[in-house]
Amino acid sequence: MVAGLSGYYWPRRMVLGYRTYLFCVLLFFSTPLFTAKVFAGTGVTPPAGTLRVAIAAEDYPPFYYQNFDGEMDGFSVRVLQALSAQLQLSLNWQRLPWNRVVHHLEMGRADLVLVMYHSDSRSERFLFSDISYLQDGIVLVCYRVCKVSLSDNMAELADNELALVRGFSYGQVLDALPLNAVTMVESDTLLLNLLSHGRLQLGIASYLTVSRAPLMQQQSPPLEILLPFLAVVDIYFAFSRHSALSLAQMQAFNQALIDFVQSPDYRALRAEFQLDLPDD
Protein backbone atom coordinates (compact mmCIF):
# COMPACT_ATOMS: atom_id res chain seq x y z
CA MET A 1 0.00 0.00 0.00
CA VAL A 2 1.15 3.56 -0.76
CA ALA A 3 -0.08 6.58 1.22
CA GLY A 4 -1.66 9.40 -0.78
CA LEU A 5 -1.75 13.12 0.13
CA SER A 6 -5.08 12.75 1.88
CA GLY A 7 -3.86 9.86 4.00
CA TYR A 8 -5.75 7.34 1.90
CA TYR A 9 -3.72 4.24 1.09
CA TRP A 10 -3.64 3.27 -2.61
CA PRO A 11 -2.89 -0.30 -3.71
CA ARG A 12 0.57 -0.44 -5.26
CA ARG A 13 -0.79 -1.83 -8.56
CA MET A 14 -3.08 1.23 -8.87
CA VAL A 15 -0.14 3.57 -8.33
CA LEU A 16 1.91 1.76 -10.97
CA GLY A 17 -1.05 1.79 -13.36
CA TYR A 18 -1.58 5.52 -12.86
CA ARG A 19 2.10 6.25 -13.48
CA THR A 20 1.95 4.21 -16.71
CA TYR A 21 -1.14 6.17 -17.77
CA LEU A 22 0.62 9.51 -17.17
CA PHE A 23 3.65 8.34 -19.11
CA CYS A 24 1.47 7.33 -22.10
CA VAL A 25 -0.38 10.67 -22.02
CA LEU A 26 2.87 12.63 -21.99
CA LEU A 27 4.28 10.49 -24.78
CA PHE A 28 1.20 11.04 -26.95
CA PHE A 29 1.18 14.80 -26.48
CA SER A 30 4.83 14.99 -27.51
CA THR A 31 4.49 13.01 -30.76
CA PRO A 32 4.63 14.69 -34.21
CA LEU A 33 1.14 13.32 -34.97
CA PHE A 34 -0.38 15.23 -32.07
CA THR A 35 1.70 18.30 -32.93
CA ALA A 36 0.41 18.26 -36.51
CA LYS A 37 -3.22 18.11 -35.34
CA VAL A 38 -2.90 20.86 -32.76
CA PHE A 39 -0.85 23.39 -34.68
CA ALA A 40 -2.32 23.00 -38.17
CA GLY A 41 -4.16 26.20 -39.04
CA THR A 42 -3.66 27.87 -35.67
CA GLY A 43 -1.62 30.79 -34.46
CA VAL A 44 -0.10 28.74 -31.65
CA THR A 45 3.68 28.54 -31.71
CA PRO A 46 4.81 24.93 -32.29
CA PRO A 47 7.89 23.28 -30.79
CA ALA A 48 11.22 24.58 -32.09
CA GLY A 49 11.75 21.44 -34.17
CA THR A 50 8.50 21.79 -36.14
CA LEU A 51 8.26 23.48 -39.54
CA ARG A 52 4.73 24.62 -40.36
CA VAL A 53 4.31 24.36 -44.14
CA ALA A 54 1.31 26.00 -45.82
CA ILE A 55 0.21 24.62 -49.18
CA ALA A 56 -2.91 25.05 -51.27
CA ALA A 57 -5.82 22.72 -50.55
CA GLU A 58 -5.82 21.79 -54.23
CA ASP A 59 -3.02 19.54 -55.51
CA TYR A 60 -0.43 21.35 -57.62
CA PRO A 61 1.61 18.71 -59.47
CA PRO A 62 4.47 18.26 -60.03
CA PHE A 63 5.29 20.44 -57.01
CA TYR A 64 2.97 18.93 -54.39
CA TYR A 65 0.04 16.54 -54.30
CA GLN A 66 -1.43 13.76 -52.18
CA ASN A 67 -0.34 10.37 -53.48
CA PHE A 68 -2.29 7.08 -53.53
CA ASP A 69 -1.15 6.31 -49.97
CA GLY A 70 -2.63 9.60 -48.73
CA GLU A 71 0.81 11.12 -48.15
CA MET A 72 2.16 14.43 -49.39
CA ASP A 73 4.40 13.96 -52.41
CA GLY A 74 5.85 15.91 -55.33
CA PHE A 75 9.14 17.47 -56.31
CA SER A 76 8.98 20.39 -53.87
CA VAL A 77 7.82 18.08 -51.08
CA ARG A 78 10.75 15.72 -51.69
CA VAL A 79 13.25 18.58 -51.65
CA LEU A 80 11.80 19.89 -48.38
CA GLN A 81 11.78 16.42 -46.84
CA ALA A 82 15.47 15.98 -47.67
CA LEU A 83 16.31 19.32 -46.05
CA SER A 84 14.13 18.79 -42.98
CA ALA A 85 15.63 15.34 -42.39
CA GLN A 86 19.11 16.85 -42.43
CA LEU A 87 18.07 19.67 -40.10
CA GLN A 88 16.01 17.37 -37.85
CA LEU A 89 12.80 19.33 -38.40
CA SER A 90 9.39 17.68 -38.38
CA LEU A 91 6.85 18.89 -40.96
CA ASN A 92 3.38 20.11 -40.11
CA TRP A 93 1.26 20.47 -43.28
CA GLN A 94 -1.43 23.15 -43.47
CA ARG A 95 -3.74 22.64 -46.49
CA LEU A 96 -5.70 25.84 -47.12
CA PRO A 97 -7.22 27.87 -49.96
CA TRP A 98 -4.40 29.76 -51.67
CA ASN A 99 -5.39 33.19 -50.32
CA ARG A 100 -5.31 31.78 -46.78
CA VAL A 101 -1.92 30.19 -47.48
CA VAL A 102 -0.52 33.63 -48.24
CA HIS A 103 -2.32 35.14 -45.24
CA HIS A 104 -1.01 32.48 -42.84
CA LEU A 105 2.53 33.08 -44.07
CA GLU A 106 2.19 36.84 -43.73
CA MET A 107 0.74 36.61 -40.21
CA GLY A 108 3.28 34.06 -38.95
CA ARG A 109 0.74 31.24 -38.64
CA ALA A 110 2.90 29.28 -41.08
CA ASP A 111 6.68 29.25 -41.40
CA LEU A 112 7.12 28.29 -45.03
CA VAL A 113 5.45 28.08 -48.43
CA LEU A 114 6.82 25.53 -50.87
CA VAL A 115 6.35 27.27 -54.22
CA MET A 116 6.57 31.01 -54.67
CA TYR A 117 7.71 33.25 -57.50
CA HIS A 118 9.75 36.28 -56.48
CA SER A 119 8.49 39.83 -56.95
CA ASP A 120 9.39 43.16 -55.36
CA SER A 121 6.05 43.41 -53.55
CA ARG A 122 6.36 39.88 -52.19
CA SER A 123 9.92 40.42 -51.01
CA GLU A 124 8.58 43.18 -48.74
CA ARG A 125 6.15 40.71 -47.16
CA PHE A 126 8.17 37.49 -47.08
CA LEU A 127 11.72 36.19 -46.82
CA PHE A 128 12.81 34.15 -49.82
CA SER A 129 15.32 31.31 -49.76
CA ASP A 130 18.81 32.42 -50.76
CA ILE A 131 18.59 30.50 -54.02
CA SER A 132 15.93 29.26 -56.38
CA TYR A 133 15.57 25.47 -56.51
CA LEU A 134 13.77 25.22 -59.87
CA GLN A 135 12.64 27.21 -62.90
CA ASP A 136 9.21 27.20 -64.50
CA GLY A 137 7.84 28.60 -67.72
CA ILE A 138 4.76 30.81 -67.77
CA VAL A 139 2.63 30.08 -70.81
CA LEU A 140 -0.48 31.19 -72.59
CA VAL A 141 -3.10 28.43 -72.75
CA CYS A 142 -6.05 28.61 -75.09
CA TYR A 143 -9.15 26.70 -76.10
CA ARG A 144 -8.28 24.76 -79.25
CA VAL A 145 -8.04 25.97 -81.97
CA CYS A 146 -6.21 29.03 -80.68
CA LYS A 147 -6.90 32.30 -82.51
CA VAL A 148 -4.01 34.16 -80.90
CA SER A 149 -0.37 34.06 -81.94
CA LEU A 150 2.48 35.22 -79.77
CA SER A 151 4.90 37.90 -80.83
CA ASP A 152 7.75 39.68 -79.19
CA ASN A 153 5.41 42.52 -78.19
CA MET A 154 4.17 41.58 -74.72
CA ALA A 155 1.91 44.63 -74.64
CA GLU A 156 -0.37 42.95 -77.22
CA LEU A 157 -1.59 40.68 -74.43
CA ALA A 158 -3.24 43.70 -72.84
CA ASP A 159 -5.80 43.79 -75.65
CA ASN A 160 -6.99 40.21 -75.03
CA GLU A 161 -9.28 38.94 -72.30
CA LEU A 162 -7.17 36.72 -70.07
CA ALA A 163 -8.04 34.37 -67.22
CA LEU A 164 -5.77 34.32 -64.16
CA VAL A 165 -5.84 32.47 -60.85
CA ARG A 166 -6.73 34.84 -58.05
CA GLY A 167 -3.80 35.67 -55.77
CA PHE A 168 -1.16 34.03 -58.01
CA SER A 169 1.95 35.81 -59.23
CA TYR A 170 3.18 35.09 -62.73
CA GLY A 171 6.56 36.73 -62.41
CA GLN A 172 7.79 40.29 -62.32
CA VAL A 173 7.23 41.07 -66.03
CA LEU A 174 3.69 39.72 -66.29
CA ASP A 175 2.59 41.11 -62.93
CA ALA A 176 3.50 44.58 -64.14
CA LEU A 177 1.66 44.20 -67.46
CA PRO A 178 -1.37 46.55 -67.70
CA LEU A 179 -4.11 44.09 -68.66
CA ASN A 180 -7.41 45.58 -69.80
CA ALA A 181 -9.71 42.58 -69.46
CA VAL A 182 -9.06 39.99 -66.77
CA THR A 183 -11.21 37.13 -65.48
CA MET A 184 -10.19 35.84 -62.06
CA VAL A 185 -10.76 32.19 -61.14
CA GLU A 186 -10.07 30.38 -57.89
CA SER A 187 -7.73 27.59 -58.99
CA ASP A 188 -5.65 26.15 -61.84
CA THR A 189 -8.04 23.22 -62.15
CA LEU A 190 -11.02 25.53 -62.59
CA LEU A 191 -9.06 27.64 -65.08
CA LEU A 192 -8.24 24.61 -67.25
CA ASN A 193 -11.77 23.19 -67.01
CA LEU A 194 -13.34 26.47 -68.11
CA LEU A 195 -10.86 26.73 -70.98
CA SER A 196 -11.46 23.15 -72.08
CA HIS A 197 -15.22 23.77 -72.34
CA GLY A 198 -14.77 26.98 -74.30
CA ARG A 199 -16.14 29.18 -71.52
CA LEU A 200 -12.80 30.99 -71.46
CA GLN A 201 -10.58 31.57 -74.48
CA LEU A 202 -7.19 32.45 -73.00
CA GLY A 203 -5.47 31.78 -69.70
CA ILE A 204 -2.02 32.13 -68.15
CA ALA A 205 -0.58 29.17 -66.30
CA SER A 206 2.55 27.32 -65.19
CA TYR A 207 4.00 25.17 -67.97
CA LEU A 208 5.13 22.44 -65.58
CA THR A 209 1.62 22.21 -64.16
CA VAL A 210 -0.55 22.54 -67.25
CA SER A 211 1.59 20.14 -69.31
CA ARG A 212 0.87 17.41 -66.72
CA ALA A 213 -2.85 18.10 -66.40
CA PRO A 214 -5.08 15.07 -67.17
CA LEU A 215 -6.74 17.12 -69.92
CA MET A 216 -3.43 17.33 -71.76
CA GLN A 217 -2.94 13.55 -71.66
CA GLN A 218 -5.97 12.95 -73.89
CA GLN A 219 -5.45 11.83 -77.48
CA SER A 220 -6.87 15.13 -78.75
CA PRO A 221 -6.34 17.65 -75.95
CA PRO A 222 -8.95 20.41 -75.85
CA LEU A 223 -6.26 22.91 -74.89
CA GLU A 224 -3.25 24.30 -76.67
CA ILE A 225 -0.08 25.52 -74.95
CA LEU A 226 1.52 28.36 -76.84
CA LEU A 227 5.28 28.70 -77.01
CA PRO A 228 7.60 30.52 -76.57
CA PHE A 229 7.20 31.12 -72.84
CA LEU A 230 5.78 34.44 -71.76
CA ALA A 231 8.41 34.36 -69.01
CA VAL A 232 10.77 31.96 -67.28
CA VAL A 233 10.55 32.36 -63.52
CA ASP A 234 12.55 31.10 -60.57
CA ILE A 235 10.82 29.09 -57.84
CA TYR A 236 11.76 29.72 -54.21
CA PHE A 237 10.82 28.63 -50.74
CA ALA A 238 9.28 31.60 -48.93
CA PHE A 239 9.55 32.15 -45.15
CA SER A 240 7.28 34.20 -42.95
CA ARG A 241 8.86 37.33 -41.50
CA HIS A 242 7.20 36.26 -38.26
CA SER A 243 8.29 32.64 -38.40
CA ALA A 244 8.80 30.59 -35.26
CA LEU A 245 12.12 29.52 -36.77
CA SER A 246 15.22 31.22 -35.45
CA LEU A 247 17.62 33.14 -37.69
CA ALA A 248 20.16 30.37 -37.19
CA GLN A 249 17.62 27.75 -38.36
CA MET A 250 16.84 29.78 -41.49
CA GLN A 251 20.55 30.16 -42.25
CA ALA A 252 21.04 26.42 -41.78
CA PHE A 253 18.05 25.78 -44.09
CA ASN A 254 19.53 28.00 -46.79
CA GLN A 255 22.92 26.32 -46.60
CA ALA A 256 21.33 22.88 -46.74
CA LEU A 257 19.36 23.95 -49.83
CA ILE A 258 22.51 25.25 -51.54
CA ASP A 259 24.27 21.97 -50.85
CA PHE A 260 21.31 19.86 -51.94
CA VAL A 261 20.82 21.46 -55.38
CA GLN A 262 24.46 20.66 -56.14
CA SER A 263 24.09 17.01 -55.15
CA PRO A 264 23.46 13.85 -57.22
CA ASP A 265 20.25 13.32 -55.22
CA TYR A 266 18.86 16.59 -56.55
CA ARG A 267 19.76 15.72 -60.14
CA ALA A 268 18.16 12.29 -59.74
CA LEU A 269 15.00 13.92 -58.34
CA ARG A 270 14.77 16.30 -61.31
CA ALA A 271 15.16 13.39 -63.68
CA GLU A 272 12.48 11.38 -61.87
CA PHE A 273 9.95 14.20 -62.22
CA GLN A 274 11.16 15.16 -65.73
CA LEU A 275 11.44 18.86 -64.96
CA ASP A 276 13.64 20.10 -67.78
CA LEU A 277 11.91 22.86 -69.73
CA PRO A 278 11.67 22.57 -73.52
CA ASP A 279 13.72 24.94 -75.64
CA ASP A 280 11.54 27.83 -76.68
Side-chain angles (χ1 to χ4, degrees):
M1 304 288 283
V2 179
L5 293 178
S6 63
Y8 178 78
Y9 282 84
W10 295 74
R12 184 172 299 276
R13 63 176 180 273
M14 291 182 63
V15 173
L16 292 176
Y18 185 67
R19 288 175 178 173
T20 302
Y21 168 78
L22 286 178
F23 174 78
C24 292
V25 169
L26 291 173
L27 181 63
F28 172 75
F29 277 80
S30 65
T31 59
L33 176 62
F34 176 79
T35 300
K37 289 182 178 179
V38 170
F39 296 106
T42 72
V44 180
T45 302
T50 300
L51 184 63
R52 300 168 299 171
V53 187
I55 55 176
E58 182 178 87
D59 287 350
Y60 194 48
F63 307 109
Y64 54 83
Y65 53 86
Q66 194 169 33
N67 63 24
F68 291 116
D69 295 324
E71 300 171 342
M72 292 307 305
D73 203 351
F75 178 77
S76 300
V77 171
R78 299 270 198 93
V79 172
L80 181 60
Q81 286 173 337
L83 302 181
S84 61
Q86 179 180 338
L87 300 172
Q88 297 183 331
L89 293 170
S90 61
L91 301 178
N92 160 225
W93 301 103
Q94 301 178 3
R95 300 215 72 173
L96 305 162
W98 176 249
N99 285 339
R100 288 185 62 196
V101 167
V102 176
H103 180 71
H104 271 223
L105 191 68
E106 193 162 23
M107 300 302 293
R109 294 180 179 176
D111 302 306
L112 186 79
V113 164
L114 284 179
V115 179
M116 190 167 284
Y117 304 147
H118 182 276
S119 68
D120 289 342
S121 62
R122 283 183 166 181
S123 64
E124 294 176 358
R125 300 160 63 193
F126 313 118
L127 298 171
F128 286 81
S129 55
D130 286 350
I131 62 168
S132 159
Y133 65 93
L134 191 65
Q135 283 192 322
D136 193 7
I138 304 301
V139 291
L140 198 64
V141 185
C142 58
Y143 176 63
R144 191 180 293 272
V145 175
C146 192
K147 300 177 182 179
V148 174
S149 60
L150 292 178
S151 70
D152 293 332
N153 184 8
M154 292 285 291
E156 290 182 5
L157 285 178
D159 298 326
N160 292 279
E161 184 171 357
L162 294 171
L164 309 175
V165 177
R166 192 184 313 277
F168 272 28
S169 169
Y170 296 90
Q172 196 94 339
V173 174
L174 290 176
D175 286 350
L177 199 64
L179 301 176
N180 295 325
V182 175
T183 299
M184 290 293 183
V185 299
E186 298 305 318
S187 69
D188 262 5
T189 299
L190 181 58
L191 171 68
L192 298 183
N193 283 336
L194 291 174
L195 284 169
S196 68
H197 288 90
R199 295 177 62 184
L200 296 173
Q201 293 299 315
L202 289 170
I204 296 180
S206 148
Y207 172 80
L208 290 177
T209 297
V210 70
S211 62
R212 287 165 168 76
L215 289 168
M216 300 306 296
Q217 310 309 314
Q218 299 178 14
Q219 187 172 3
S220 298
L223 303 179
E224 185 175 351
I225 301 174
L226 296 185
L227 296 176
F229 296 132
L230 298 176
V232 175
V233 294
D234 290 308
I235 296 176
Y236 295 84
F237 292 110
F239 290 97
S240 172
R241 289 186 173 274
H242 306 288
S243 172
L245 295 178
S246 67
L247 178 60
Q249 284 176 309
M250 289 189 188
Q251 291 173 338
F253 183 98
N254 279 310
Q255 186 57 57
L257 177 60
I258 291 170
D259 294 339
F260 184 72
V261 298
Q262 297 172 352
S263 71
D265 288 343
Y266 173 79
R267 292 191 291 273
L269 198 58
R270 283 190 63 127
E272 178 184 344
F273 283 90
Q274 301 178 350
L275 294 179
D276 289 336
L277 297 176
D279 296 330
D280 61 354

